[in-house]
């Protein structure tokens, strides 16, 4: 008998299940049900229609039902919503959303891939107004573009600084719109630590977007957005992108078990509490291999891997569930912003003893005309040196470095192994010691207690408390901008000026990116100076950490001039 495989939802999860099942079973009866008009589209590319990078919204549709039928003998029913699951009968009730006709479909195996829906807080006055939109599918993005065109929209408020919010913000800015981004937290992109997020904040600010942090929307009128602070923003278009929540209504109505995260609970084979029903994608909870707990992860890559594993298990093939680590990359104007694993905040919350490395080297040999600095942060467990996570921001290949770290994490790698990792090198692609190798070597120094460091987030307090800070850059560099209380003793001169460096107090050193100051720290340690600290990230890190904060507050500046080069 033909196996009847019914799939709720398409896109990355459901469509991937269908394709894998067909490869395993030429004779299975495979049916996908999608309540919207498209069963396969590029969800992640939706915002790029707003800038015209993807000119036609129809190009976002990857496959039509006819293609599924002709190429794979898969029946894809669009505009068909599954409204009920009868586990005992092993049937589903399906509503044709165009005719309202309801039919019953029998299954041997049911796979759920309902996805997640945008959060729209009903506590916000005016949240349901016609000029308030969310981004989930092709019709959503087409409606936004049509509204902009039909109403000559110039001012837009984007609410939420996550992946979708940032992509919508950037593409609307590329389209020439005046954009305000509102984020209730103290930073955008929560996978980043605060010190790294400041680089993104600076880039957003410098590209002409008004970025408002630690403030939230309380009311939306026809022409304004009112924030909890009392601030009013003129705007006739609002995009809500504050996050998503898993679509679990159907699962709950069928009495399938829901996990602690609020998503559908599945086992290592992606079976729900009913062995005949599988679930994949944004609607399920997954195991985080570093934090050792269940979490949610709304990304296409993991959804496709889950889909393949579920299909394999349906046909008795071996499945190995390794857990997730949360690797991602996002373009924010000129910068690629990439992360993997956990950040400092997550390590603290999980009570993991860790150490961090923050370096800002060039992404390739400095002689190359297109060499760019790369902000790179590495998190590792103490005292094992096991790599826990990394963050990279740069105009070059930030994603390449994060992919290296993601691979190391997946293999249980340590900074000892990363330091000695043999990577491809050419001056046009990297440095002989790659950024990742450098970070590991710095990490080993920290792990072994070779020197002490402080973070850029601590520098303001040091300056305000009049700590003894030495800027080891050359005099011309110092003249271009420096900490207001720093003493300029260049690395090239310090051995002749030791009488100026006190031994009875803590000393904090920095240069441009941390390399020269590190060398001076080591030299002073050997000369009997015990309380010597290198400022992690150095002047580049300080400038980027302080810049945006200084632009939006009235606090005193601690640098004479910002330096981003």
């Amino acid at each position: 008998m033909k196996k009847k495989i019914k799939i709720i939802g398409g896109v990355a999860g459901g469509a991937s299940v269908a394709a894998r099942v067909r490869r395993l079973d030429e004779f299975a009866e495979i049916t996908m049900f999608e309540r919207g008009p498209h069963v396969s589209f590029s969800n992640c590319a939706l915002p790029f229609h707003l800038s015209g990078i993807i000119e036609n919204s129809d190009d976002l549709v990857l496959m039509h039902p006819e293609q599924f039928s002709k190429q794979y003998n898969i029946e894809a029913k669009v505009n068909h919503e599954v409204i009920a699951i009868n586990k005992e009968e092993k049937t589903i009730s399906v509503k044709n959303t165009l005719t309202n006709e309801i039919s019953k479909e029998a299954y041997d195996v049911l796979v759920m891939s309902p996805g997640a829906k945008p959060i729209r807080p009903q506590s916000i006055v005016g949240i349901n107004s016609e000029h308030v939109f969310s981004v989930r599918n092709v019709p959503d993005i087409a409606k936004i573009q049509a509204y902009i065109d039909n109403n000559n929209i110039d001012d837009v408020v984007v609410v939420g600084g996550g992946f979708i919010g940032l992509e919508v913000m950037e593409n609307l800015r590329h389209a020439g719109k005046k954009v305000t981004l509102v984020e209730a937290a103290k930073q955008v992109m929560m996978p980043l630590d605060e010190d790294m997020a400041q680089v993104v904040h600076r880039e957003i600010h410098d590209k002409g977007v008004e970025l408002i942090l630690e403030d939230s929307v309380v009311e939306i009128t026809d022409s304004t957005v009112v924030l909890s602070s009392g601030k009013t923003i003129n705007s006739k278009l609002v995009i809500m992108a504050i996050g998503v929540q898993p679509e679990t209504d159907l699962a709950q109505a069928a009495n399938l078990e829901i996990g602690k995260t609020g998503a559908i609970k599945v086992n290592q084979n992606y079976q729900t509490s009913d062995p005949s029903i599988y679930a994949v994608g944004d609607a399920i909870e997954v195991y985080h291999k570093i934090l050792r707990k269940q979490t949610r992860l709304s990304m296409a890559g993991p959804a496709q891997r889950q889909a393949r594993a579920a299909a394999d298990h349906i046909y008795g093939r071996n499945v190995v569930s390794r857990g997730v680590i949360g690797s991602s990359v996002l373009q924010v104007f000129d910068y690629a912003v990439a992360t993997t694993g956990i950040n400092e905040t997550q390590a603290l919350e999980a009570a993991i003893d860790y150490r961090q490395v923050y370096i800002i080297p060039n992404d390739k040999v400095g002689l190359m005309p297109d060499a760019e600095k790369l902000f790179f942060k590495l998190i590792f467990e103490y005292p094992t040196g096991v790599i826990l996570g990394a963050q990279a921001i740069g105009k070059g290949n930030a994603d390449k470095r994060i992919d290296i770290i993601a691979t190391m994490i997946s293999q249980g790698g340590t900074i000892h192994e990363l330091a000695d990792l043999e990577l491809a090198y050419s001056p046009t692609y990297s440095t002989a010691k790659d950024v990742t190798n450098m970070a590991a070597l710095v990490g080993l120094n920290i792990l072994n207690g070779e020197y002490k460091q402080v973070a850029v987030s601590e520098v303001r307090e040091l300056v305000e408390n009049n700590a003894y800070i030495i800027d080891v850059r050359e005099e011309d560099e110092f003249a271009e901008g420096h900490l207001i209380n720093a003493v300029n003793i260049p690395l090239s001169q310090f051995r002749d000026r030791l009488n100026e460096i006190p031994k009875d107090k803590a000393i904090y050193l920095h240069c441009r990116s941390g390399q020269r100051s590190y060398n001076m720290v080591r030299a002073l340690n050997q000369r009997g100076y015990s309380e010597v600290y290198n400022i992690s990230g150095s002047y580049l890190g300080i400038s980027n950490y302080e810049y945006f904060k200084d632009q939006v507050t009235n606090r005193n500046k601690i640098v004479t001039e910002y330096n981003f080069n």
Side-chain angles (χ1 to χ4, degrees):
M1 292 179 62
K2 293 182 179 180
K3 190 186 290 285
K4 293 181 179 180
I5 309 290
K6 307 299 181 183
I7 302 169
I8 303 172
V11 200
S16 295
V17 170
R20 178 62 174 169
V21 167
R22 177 55 73 222
R23 289 193 293 272
L24 297 176
D25 185 352
E26 171 63 17
F27 305 102
E29 180 185 301
I30 307 170
T31 310
M32 278 191 295
F33 300 95
E34 171 58 52
R35 66 184 172 191
H38 307 296
V39 72
S40 178
F41 59 90
S42 180
N43 193 299
C44 300
L46 292 174
F48 295 92
H49 177 53
L50 299 176
S51 61
I53 292 175
I54 298 175
E55 187 173 351
N56 193 330
S57 63
D58 290 340
D59 292 338
L60 292 162
V61 180
L62 302 178
M63 284 191 70
H64 296 278
E66 295 77 18
Q67 292 171 279
F68 276 104
S69 177
K70 291 179 180 179
Q71 295 182 20
Y72 301 104
N73 191 25
I74 293 170
E75 186 176 15
K77 293 188 174 183
V78 296
N79 300 309
H80 279 71
E81 180 180 6
V82 177
I83 58 175
I85 301 170
N86 188 319
K87 295 184 296 183
E88 289 71 26
E89 292 183 359
K90 297 186 79 169
T91 62
I92 53 175
S93 298
V94 184
K95 177 182 177 181
N96 183 321
T97 59
L98 300 180
T99 66
N100 291 324
E101 179 185 358
I102 297 176
S103 60
K104 270 192 176 183
E105 298 266 356
Y107 65 83
D108 295 310
V109 177
L110 179 65
V111 182
M112 302 183 68
S113 181
K117 57 186 175 184
I119 297 172
R120 292 173 69 101
Q122 295 304 303
S123 58
I124 298 175
V125 178
I127 189 67
N128 298 317
S129 301
E130 66 173 10
H131 66 296
V132 179
F133 295 88
S134 298
V135 177
R136 184 181 185 182
N137 53 33
V138 176
D140 286 344
I141 209 72
K143 287 177 183 176
I144 293 171
Q145 187 59 56
Y147 193 87
I148 291 172
D149 295 340
N150 295 336
N151 295 277
N152 297 316
I153 299 296
D154 290 319
D155 298 336
V156 184
V157 170
V158 179
V159 185
F163 289 87
I164 294 296
L166 290 173
E167 286 185 330
V168 168
M169 168 209 73
E170 179 182 359
N171 281 278
L172 286 170
R173 187 69 188 126
H174 283 321
K177 307 305 177 186
K178 180 182 178 182
V179 183
T180 301
L181 180 66
V182 179
E183 170 55 58
K186 64 180 180 180
Q187 67 174 75
V188 301
M189 283 197 75
M190 298 313 292
L192 294 175
D193 283 315
E194 187 193 13
D195 49 4
M196 296 292 282
Q198 301 310 319
V199 182
V200 181
H201 294 167
R202 175 176 67 83
E203 177 69 357
I204 293 170
H205 177 273
D206 287 351
K207 290 299 189 290
V209 174
E210 182 179 6
L211 175 58
I212 300 174
L213 301 174
E214 298 184 86
D215 212 344
S216 55
V217 177
V218 295
E219 183 178 0
I220 301 170
T221 72
D222 290 343
S223 59
T224 64
V225 173
V226 183
L227 306 183
S228 58
S229 64
K231 181 180 177 69
T232 298
I233 308 164
N234 292 326
S235 177
K236 294 184 178 181
L237 175 64
V238 179
I239 311 295
M240 296 298 300
I242 64 174
V244 297
Q245 59 188 32
E247 288 270 17
T248 60
D249 293 348
L250 195 59
Q252 291 185 70
N255 291 318
L256 297 177
E257 188 173 354
I258 304 299
K260 293 180 180 179
T261 67
I264 301 171
K265 184 175 182 178
V266 295
N267 64 16
Q268 72 275 20
N269 302 312
Y270 300 100
Q271 289 171 297
T272 68
S273 51
D274 184 320
S276 296
I277 303 176
Y278 291 73
V280 299
D282 297 354
I284 71 169
E285 63 178 21
V286 291
Y287 182 74
H288 199 294
K289 68 179 299 179
I290 301 173
L291 297 176
R292 299 182 182 275
K293 66 177 185 179
Q294 300 302 121
T295 188
R296 301 203 315 249
L297 188 64
S298 298
M299 292 184 180
Q304 290 188 349
R305 289 189 287 276
Q306 295 157 17
R308 181 184 178 92
D312 282 356
H313 189 261
I314 291 170
Y315 284 88
R317 299 168 73 94
N318 185 46
V319 172
V320 178
S321 179
R322 300 183 183 277
V324 301
I325 58 176
S327 302
S328 64
V329 63
L330 181 72
Q331 188 74 25
V332 181
F333 294 109
D334 293 341
Y335 284 93
V337 184
T339 67
T340 190
I342 65 173
N343 58 25
E344 286 195 78
T345 301
Q346 291 171 305
L348 287 168
E349 290 174 350
I352 299 173
D353 196 358
Y354 74 94
R355 300 293 185 270
Q356 61 89 15
V357 172
Y358 182 19
I359 60 173
I360 314 174
N362 284 335
D363 58 359
K364 59 189 67 174
V365 172
L367 293 172
M368 295 297 106
D370 59 344
E372 298 282 356
K373 58 188 174 297
L374 183 68
F375 298 85
F376 190 84
K377 188 169 187 177
L378 183 69
I379 314 291
F380 62 91
E381 186 181 53
Y382 183 86
T384 65
V386 170
I387 299 169
L388 300 174
Q391 303 155 47
I393 304 174
K395 296 180 180 180
N397 294 328
D399 58 329
K400 167 186 171 180
R401 275 62 187 217
I402 289 303
D403 286 343
I404 291 169
I405 302 302
T407 303
M408 295 294 292
I409 292 174
S410 297
Q411 300 301 316
T414 68
I415 56 174
H416 306 81
E417 295 158 325
L418 179 60
D420 199 39
L421 189 64
E422 184 179 352
L423 300 168
Y425 161 66
S426 167
T428 57
Y429 292 103
S430 66
T431 49
K433 279 200 294 277
D434 186 68
V435 172
T436 54
N437 299 131
M438 293 182 200
L441 290 167
V442 174
L444 286 173
N445 286 333
I446 295 170
L447 183 66
N448 297 328
E450 300 282 350
Y451 77 102
K452 302 172 184 176
Q453 67 173 2
V454 296
V456 290
S457 57
E458 302 175 60
V459 172
R460 173 167 288 274
E461 184 178 354
L462 293 176
V463 172
E464 292 174 346
N465 290 330
N466 202 32
Y468 194 85
I469 300 174
I470 300 177
D471 186 330
V472 314
R473 296 175 299 161
E474 295 301 315
E475 293 170 352
D476 59 330
E477 295 176 272
F478 183 83
E480 291 178 357
H482 56 266
L483 289 170
I484 58 175
N485 69 331
V487 178
N488 185 212
I489 305 179
L491 178 65
S492 60
Q493 301 177 16
F494 87 95
R495 292 177 180 86
D496 298 323
R497 298 173 61 180
L498 290 172
N499 62 311
E500 300 177 41
I501 305 175
K503 285 190 174 182
D504 60 349
K505 64 171 65 176
I507 304 168
Y508 302 89
L509 282 71
H510 76 81
C511 57
R512 172 185 173 273
S513 63
Q515 185 176 22
R516 283 175 286 176
S517 55
Y518 162 69
N519 279 281
M520 190 163 161
V521 166
R522 295 300 294 263
L524 290 174
N525 284 156
Q526 294 175 51
R527 290 175 177 271
Y529 292 81
S530 58
E531 288 297 304
V532 185
Y533 298 83
N534 197 29
I535 295 176
S536 175
S538 270
Y539 199 70
L540 280 176
I542 295 166
S543 292
N544 278 278
Y545 187 81
E546 295 293 325
Y547 175 75
F548 177 75
K549 292 171 177 285
D550 286 351
Q551 305 307 305
V552 298
T553 66
N554 294 320
R555 67 182 189 174
N556 295 324
K557 289 175 59 176
I558 64 170
V559 296
T560 58
E561 292 292 338
Y562 305 102
N563 189 340
F564 305 126
N565 300 305

